[in-house]
């Protein structure tokens, strides 16, 4: 498929090690993900059986150090996300939640025992993790959460409901955020603990090849050692979300690149009024505008990767990337669908699937409105959330 990012020679400017990793993930996507995606999307199934293959590929927690993780650069992680999301946002979501939310929360805030128990198995794809922050009544405003953890002797007892949790019903372990007497704390919850249950959300029109679930915690009793010792307050889960958002900045470019490539190939082959529709100025304008916008999004992603690898990246900078790149990618996917005409409404072509997936990406890890407010606050010094 034609790669519109080649126009700016962007791939050629990347360091060799990172390019190799990107090429390996692209090959995996070609061999193992693309052949099945139409069926998984249509049947609304996440191919859980591929989890160990993701582990073997080395993308689970790939930017973390030790405990079986690859210790790759932020750039390498971003490029892997790009290739996964070019196949389908569901795969990038799986890898983001596993590595940047579930594993990162344990890696950054966990005890040595928690890390040793979970991280190697999660890196190998033998154990799946999820991250429970959102609740039915508290999405953009997670600080209002109702899930409670109460001390009972040396144990903790958790009660509450978490909503829209990726990987929730196939997870072996959940990082659950709860209100305690000492503020918001995180807990590592094995999902076979009595009182824990998960129910997959059905009838989704978006991210159909990904699992989204409701978690119910009904008197879940955990030992004192289940608490993440270093995570205190809402800033802990928010720091995990920043990790995952970074992957989205690149992933969105992948969905855009795949959509443009698909529309470009189609436009060259589809003839109307006696010539390929690629020969009409209106079509070329669409293709040119989308290529400019995808190129800008990629350059922004690469800039943020440099900041992240230098260890200086700030939350509002990630918000700029998430807001811009998802907004541009969804506009691109929709525009590509118009180039495909009627053919664009089935799963034979990827753009409408990408557009539908990006509706979720626009919403999770902070909605576009919330990222706008983050940037607004950074610029003005005034918080406008309430
Ligand atoms: P609301 O917060 O109710 O927002 C509704 C609308 O109001 C939005 O447009 C929002 O931008 C707007 N709004 C809210 N507050 C303001 C404001 N102050 N100013 C202006 N506009 C505002 N959560 C997890 O914890 N773990 C997961 O793994 C996870 N996976 C997800 C997977 C999917 C497919 C989806 C759809 C969601 C997932 N989420 C997950 C939840 C996601 O993070 C929330 O959906 C998101 O934070 C928005 O919350 P909400 O849906 O309750 O919408």
């Amino acid at each position: 498929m034609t790669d519109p990012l080649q126009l700016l020679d962007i791939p050629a400017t990347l360091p060799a090690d990172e390019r190799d990793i990107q090429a390996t993930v692209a090959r995996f996507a070609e061999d193992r993900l693309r052949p099945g995606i139409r069926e998984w999307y249509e049947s609304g199934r996440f191919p859980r059986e591929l989890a160990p293959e993701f582990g073997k590929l080395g993308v689970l927690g790939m930017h973390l150090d030790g405990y079986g993780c690859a210790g790759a650069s932020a750039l390498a992680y971003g490029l892997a996300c790009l290739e996964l999301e070019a196949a389908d946002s569901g795969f990038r979501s799986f890898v983001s939640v596993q590595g940047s939310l579930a594993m990162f929360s344990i890696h950054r805030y966990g005890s040595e025992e928690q890390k040793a128990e979970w991280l190697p198995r999660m890196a190998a794809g033998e154990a799946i993790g999820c991250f429970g922050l959102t609740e039915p009544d508290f999405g953009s405003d997670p600080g209002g959460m109702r899930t409670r953890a109460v001390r009972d002797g040396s144990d903790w007892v958790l009660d509450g409901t978490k909503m829209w949790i990726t990987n929730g019903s196939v997870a072996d372990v959940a990082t659950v955020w709860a209100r305690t007497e000492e503020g918001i704390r995180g807990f590592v919850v094995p999902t076979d603990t009595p009182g824990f249950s998960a129910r997959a959300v059905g009838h989704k029109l978006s991210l159909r090849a990904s699992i989204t679930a409701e978690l119910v915690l009904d008197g879940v009793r955990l030992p004192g050692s289940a608490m993440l010792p270093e995570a205190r307050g809402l800033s802990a889960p928010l720091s995990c979300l920043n990790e995952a958002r970074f992957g989205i900045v690149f992933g969105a470019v992948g969905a855009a690149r795949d959509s443009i490539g698909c529309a470009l190939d189609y436009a060259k082959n589809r003839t109307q009024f006696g010539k390929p529709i690629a020969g009409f100025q209106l079509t070329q304008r669409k293709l040119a505008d989308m290529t400019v916008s995808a190129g800008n999004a990629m350059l922004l992603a690469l800039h943020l990767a440099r900041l992240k690898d230098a260890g200086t990246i700030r939350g509002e900078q990630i918000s700029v990337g998430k807001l811009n790149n998802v907004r541009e990618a969804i506009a691109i996917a929709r525009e590509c669908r118009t180039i495909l005409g009627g053919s664009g409404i089935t799963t034979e072509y990827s753009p409408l699937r990408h557009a539908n997936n990006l509706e979720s990406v626009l919403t999770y890890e902070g909605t576009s409105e919330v990222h706008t407010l983050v940037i607004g606050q950074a610029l003005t010094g005034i918080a406008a959330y309430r």
Side-chain angles (χ1 to χ4, degrees):
M1 186 189 287
T2 312
D3 177 356
L5 298 175
Q6 297 280 8
L7 186 90
L8 290 171
D9 282 341
I10 292 176
T13 65
L14 301 173
D17 284 356
E18 274 76 3
R19 259 164 66 189
D20 285 350
I21 292 174
Q22 180 176 14
T24 304
V25 179
R27 257 195 318 277
F28 176 80
E30 196 57 41
D31 295 345
R32 304 295 295 137
L33 306 181
R34 287 181 189 273
I37 185 54
R38 285 177 66 186
E39 195 238 303
W40 296 323
Y41 190 87
E42 285 174 29
S43 59
R45 188 172 90 77
F46 169 70
R48 186 196 193 293
E49 64 279 9
L50 291 184
E53 293 190 41
F54 281 106
K56 228 178 184 170
L57 184 65
V59 293
L60 303 178
M62 71 183 275
H63 61 310
L64 304 176
D65 284 318
Y67 307 96
C69 303
S73 65
L75 175 59
Y77 174 54
L79 294 169
C81 287
L82 188 155
E83 294 302 336
L84 294 171
E85 192 141 4
D88 193 82
S89 303
F91 304 123
R92 201 269 310 138
S93 297
F94 170 72
V95 168
S96 284
V97 169
Q98 176 85 350
S100 288
L101 295 179
M103 292 175 72
F104 178 82
S105 59
I106 296 171
H107 193 273
R108 170 78 180 73
Y109 298 110
S111 65
E112 203 43 54
E113 296 72 47
Q114 290 166 337
K115 292 180 198 182
E117 179 176 3
W118 290 107
L119 293 179
R121 282 198 285 149
M122 292 170 87
E126 287 160 13
I128 293 180
C130 69
F131 183 89
L133 177 65
T134 306
E135 299 188 355
D137 293 332
F138 295 94
S140 299
D141 182 19
M145 69 175 66
R146 292 208 184 97
T147 298
R148 288 203 156 269
V150 177
R151 277 270 191 204
D152 183 19
S154 62
D155 290 349
W156 287 98
V157 179
L158 270 64
D159 284 283
T161 305
K162 297 289 177 182
M163 192 60 201
W164 307 116
I165 307 306
T166 303
N167 300 346
S169 56
V170 293
D172 301 285
V173 61
T175 296
V176 174
W177 301 93
R179 184 175 296 290
T180 71
E181 272 188 350
E182 42 185 282
I184 290 171
R185 305 294 306 249
F187 295 86
V188 179
V189 185
T191 56
D192 58 4
T193 310
F196 181 100
S197 59
R199 186 181 54 89
V201 174
H203 308 289
K204 289 193 299 174
L205 295 170
S206 174
L207 273 192
R208 290 184 53 75
S210 166
I211 289 163
T212 315
E214 178 188 44
L215 310 183
V216 176
L217 299 117
D218 182 8
V220 171
R221 180 173 288 274
L222 299 167
S225 59
M227 178 191 264
L228 291 170
E230 306 300 330
R232 289 169 196 278
L234 194 60
S235 60
L238 297 187
S239 73
C240 302
L241 292 175
N242 265 338
E243 291 294 305
R245 286 165 186 154
F246 174 79
I248 292 176
V249 173
F250 275 86
V253 179
R257 186 195 72 187
D258 190 69
S259 297
I260 300 172
C262 174
L264 190 50
D265 290 349
Y266 184 87
K268 287 185 199 161
N269 290 306
R270 172 73 175 170
T271 299
Q272 288 292 286
F273 298 97
K275 68 176 192 183
I277 59 171
F280 297 123
Q281 289 185 352
L282 290 177
T283 308
Q284 290 197 2
R285 179 176 184 170
K286 290 179 188 177
L287 292 167
D289 281 349
M290 293 189 296
T291 299
V292 169
S293 140
N296 282 335
M298 185 66 185
L299 293 174
L300 175 56
L302 293 174
H303 173 65
L304 294 179
R306 277 192 293 272
L307 294 180
K308 191 160 177 8
D309 276 325
T312 63
I313 200 162
R314 298 193 304 273
E316 64 268 24
Q317 295 170 331
I318 297 177
S319 288
V320 170
K322 204 249 176 189
L323 176 64
N324 181 74
N325 288 12
V326 181
R327 185 163 65 187
E328 294 304 314
I330 198 168
I332 286 170
R334 289 173 181 154
E335 188 82 301
C336 288
R337 208 292 305 157
T338 71
I339 292 176
L340 296 164
S343 301
I345 73 155
T346 76
T347 57
E348 188 178 350
Y349 297 96
S350 64
L352 187 56
R353 174 167 54 77
H354 285 307
N356 282 352
N357 283 337
L358 288 163
E359 292 289 347
S360 288
V361 183
L362 204 60
T363 291
Y364 68 28
E365 318 280 355
T367 65
S368 290
E369 291 79 4
V370 165
H371 288 295
T372 304
L373 296 178
V374 171
I375 298 166
Q377 182 176 2
L379 290 171
T380 65
I382 305 168
Y385 301 94
R386 297 170 200 284

